Every structure is written in structure tokens, then in C-alpha cells.
Amino acid sequence: MKAVVVTDFGAQPEFVDLPTPEPGAGEILVRVHAAGVNPFDWKVTDGALKDSVEHTFPLVMGSDGAGVVERTGPGVTRFRPGDRVYGQFMRLPHGHGSYAEYTVAEQDGNIALIPQALPFTLAAALPTASVTAYQAVQAARVESGHTLLINGASGGVGQSAIQFAARAGARVLATGTSDLADHLRDLGAHHVIDFTQAPTHEQVAAAYPEGIDAVIDLVTPTGGDINPMAELLRAGSTLVSTNYATDPDALAARDILGVNLGNRPTVETLTTLAELAAAGELRVRIDAEVPLADAPAIVARARAGHATGKTVIVP
Ligand SMILES: NC(=O)c1ccc[n+]([C@@H]2O[C@H](COP(=O)([O-])OP(=O)(O)OC[C@H]3O[C@@H](n4cnc5c(N)ncnc54)[C@H](OP(=O)(O)O)[C@@H]3O)[C@@H](O)[C@H]2O)c1
């Protein structure tokens, strides 16, 4: 099969031929129809989990994918050949990922059935970004009438988070450049903050001097200074970081709940999101659909930023 792999931490992705994997006991072989691209994909190949998880090289890149069950291994009861499925397929100890024509998953892994109405490309765009958005909005304790800032709202996680927060009844402040403002408002943002015109925290502080109820920060890197976001918050509020940038103890001293969120997909959450997307109630903007052979170039481009939605690889 064709696949995109790295041969070591920090190595450039390569488009190669690999043997098609065989499903073992409790595993399914999935013919990948679409693979979603996430910053996590290259953070992992750069070595983010080097010290905590075993990796096997060559390592097929990618987590998110959607496709059809081709074969099942012994003992598989949850899936049958022909099932349309999606979820997270990154299995670092086995060298498996979603940027490939085929991948192997555990039947008990983060894999769910998808409705017939949900196209593979849309399904593949959901697992990491939309599960993170869904769980970030829950973690932010958003309630009707709350004012919430989503910092980094123009990307994959942010666009879904706008929709979940707006549906919860929040007043959503979303960062984005002027070319995206109409789109972000259409998703549910009440106020779009152009972070290229003036620092986001200055704009929000000027508009909400009494403080806001929650921030979901998708921008501040691990070890970065998230204090300007914390200073926007009133007592009893919540600061959620997807990059482990908050110090919950320091925030607790200011009566702010700090949450470092790692997404934890469950089959139930994946099923809910697939149903919402199939019904058009969760919208995902697809920036580009690219062939597998172009994935190395796409990863290089995506690393440079400027996501305005999701990129999907179509093997
Ligand atoms: N912990 C977890 O489980 C988890 C899960 C998913 C994602 N994440 C992390 O969460 C972050 C967002 O993920 P994503 O998939 O949404 O990434 P993405 O699709 O690349 O989107 C990031 C967005 O942030 C914008 N941005 C960059 N700098 C900004 C700034 N200073 N102010 C406002 N916006 C800014 C980018 O626009 P420009 O590039 O045009 O500036 C881009 O639109 C990433 O760091 C990712 O690794 C963590």
C-alpha cells in the first residue's frame, strides 16, 4: 500500500510503499477514504511523545481518518466488513496512522460507525479538532449568557468550538482576520477580533473591562505566557488551554479554574459529532482535499500556519 511515513523523530515525511498491515485478534483493517490533518500529527513526529510512548519506525503519520472496514481479525464483534467508520488511528507502538491506503485499529479503540449521509472527507475532519472543541467548551463551563473568548478561533478546533459555545447560549468572541470574519460570524461568533490589528487581550479588555467568563486558548504554546488571557477573566471563571499552557495552582489562587485539556474521544462522543455533522448542525470548512502523494508538501505548508479550516488527504 501507499503511505506517508517518517523514519525517525524530526525526519521529513516520505511517500512510500509499505506492506498492507494484517488485522490481529480484536483488530480491524480499514481502507482509508480520507485522513484529516492536525498540528498534532507533526508534533508527534517531531518527538512530542518521545519520552512517554514507544514509537515504531517507519511510522505512518496521522491520527484522524474515515473509511470502510475491509477485514476483521479473530474475536471482532463490534464491526463487520463494509462498515463505514471513523476516528483516531494513530498507534505509535505499532507504527500505524491514517496517512495511508489502509490502517489497522483495535475494535475497542477510538472508532465509531458513521451515518450514510456523512461523507468520508467531512468525517475525517472531525475526530481530533471537533472532539477537542466539544470537550473544551464543556471544560470551560459555558452557560447561557456567558461571555467566552476563543483565542485561535479561525482554525480547526476553533471553528467547531464557536458552534458548540454559541449553541450553549454564550456570547462568543472569536479571533480571526477580516477575510474570515463573515464566516466566523456565520458559525455563531458575536464579535470577531482581528488579532493582526492589535493584541487580542487589549481589544477584549477594552470592550469588557469588567472581565469575561471563560477563555479557550488554542494559541499560547506550552511554556508560553498565558497571563494576558488570565487577566481578562473575572473571579469564578475558567481558562482552558489545549497546549498545556495554564498553571492551575496559580490560577486557583485567583479563583480561576485552569484546565490543560487533552482530548479524550469516546465512541459516544464520536457518534454524537458524526450525527451532528451529518445533520448539518456541526459545520466544518474544508480548506483543501489533497492526494496522499502530496501529503509531505501539505504537512510542510500546514506547519507554517494560516489554517482557515481543515485539510483532508484523500488516499
Ligand atoms: N490538547 C489536545 O488534545 C489538542 C487537540 C487538538 C489541537 N490541539 C492544539 O490546539 C491548537 C489549535 O489546533 P487547531 O487544529 O485548531 O490548529 P489550526 O487548525 O492550525 O488553527 C490554528 C489557528 O490559530 C490561528 N492563530 C495563530 N496565531 C494566532 C494568534 N496569535 N491569535 C489568534 N489566532 C492565531 C491560526 O491562524 P494564522 O496561522 O493565520 O495566524 C489558525 O487559524 C494547536 O496548537 C494544536 O496542537 C491540542
Side-chain angles (χ1 to χ4, degrees):
M1 68 171 187
K2 301 288 186 194
V4 172
V5 302
V6 292
T7 53
D8 202 352
F9 295 114
Q12 291 301 318
E14 296 172 48
F15 180 59
V16 299
D17 281 302
L18 284 184
T20 301
E22 277 300 318
E27 293 181 335
I28 57 175
L29 176 70
V30 175
R31 169 82 171 92
V32 180
H33 286 245
V37 174
N38 291 284
F40 184 60
D41 302 347
W42 51 89
K43 290 183 181 181
V44 166
T45 57
D46 285 349
L49 303 178
K50 198 177 190 168
D51 298 326
S52 51
V53 184
E54 185 195 339
H55 294 58
T56 293
F57 295 98
L59 174 64
V60 177
M61 285 192 76
S63 161
D64 294 359
V68 174
V69 176
E70 178 94 359
R71 272 202 303 283
T72 59
V76 170
T77 51
R78 274 192 63 215
F79 299 105
R80 286 182 301 198
D83 281 349
R84 301 173 86 246
V85 295
Y86 92 125
Q88 293 183 325
F89 292 94
M90 186 183 283
R91 292 173 81 208
L92 302 171
H94 301 267
H96 294 159
S98 61
Y99 293 11
E101 288 178 312
Y102 293 90
T103 192
V104 162
E106 288 175 302
Q107 70 160 341
D108 297 326
N110 297 325
I111 311 296
L113 295 168
I114 52 176
Q116 205 61 38
L118 186 66
F120 291 118
T121 45
L122 184 47
L126 296 174
T128 295
S130 290
V131 168
T132 303
Y134 187 74
Q135 294 178 339
V137 170
Q138 287 179 332
R141 304 184 295 177
V142 171
E143 291 174 15
S144 183
H146 276 182
T147 300
L148 161 81
L149 168 66
I150 302 174
N151 189 31
S154 46
V157 177
Q159 292 190 23
S160 290
I162 291 172
Q163 297 172 71
F164 294 130
R167 191 168 305 133
R171 164 170 284 273
V172 181
L173 317 179
T175 57
T177 44
S178 56
D179 53 323
L180 275 177
D182 285 345
H183 172 61
L184 300 182
R185 274 192 285 268
D186 192 43
L187 294 178
H190 291 73
H191 181 172
V192 177
I193 296 159
D194 186 346
F195 61 95
T196 62
Q197 297 304 304
T200 297
H201 64 278
E202 288 179 8
Q203 297 187 57
V204 175
Y208 296 88
E210 71 286 3
I212 61 173
D213 303 291
V215 173
I216 294 176
D217 184 279
L218 309 169
V219 173
T220 309
T222 313
D225 181 11
I226 204 165
N227 217 30
M229 292 293 130
E231 282 173 358
L232 298 173
L233 290 164
R234 59 168 137 239
S237 58
T238 314
L239 173 52
V240 178
S241 164
T242 56
N243 289 318
Y244 300 87
T246 72
D247 177 345
D249 291 339
L251 289 172
R254 294 156 65 176
D255 195 15
I256 296 170
L257 175 66
V259 179
N260 289 312
L261 183 94
N263 76 85
R264 288 198 188 80
T266 60
V267 172
E268 190 186 17
T269 308
L270 287 167
T271 302
T272 299
L273 298 187
E275 286 169 355
L276 286 172
E281 290 173 32
L282 171 61
R283 289 186 286 148
V284 176
R285 173 168 158 142
I286 306 289
D287 272 347
E289 289 181 27
V290 298
L292 189 58
D294 291 353
I298 282 300
V299 167
R301 200 181 310 158
R303 271 178 184 275
H306 308 306
T308 59
K310 297 294 300 175
T311 296
V312 176
I313 295 164
V314 186

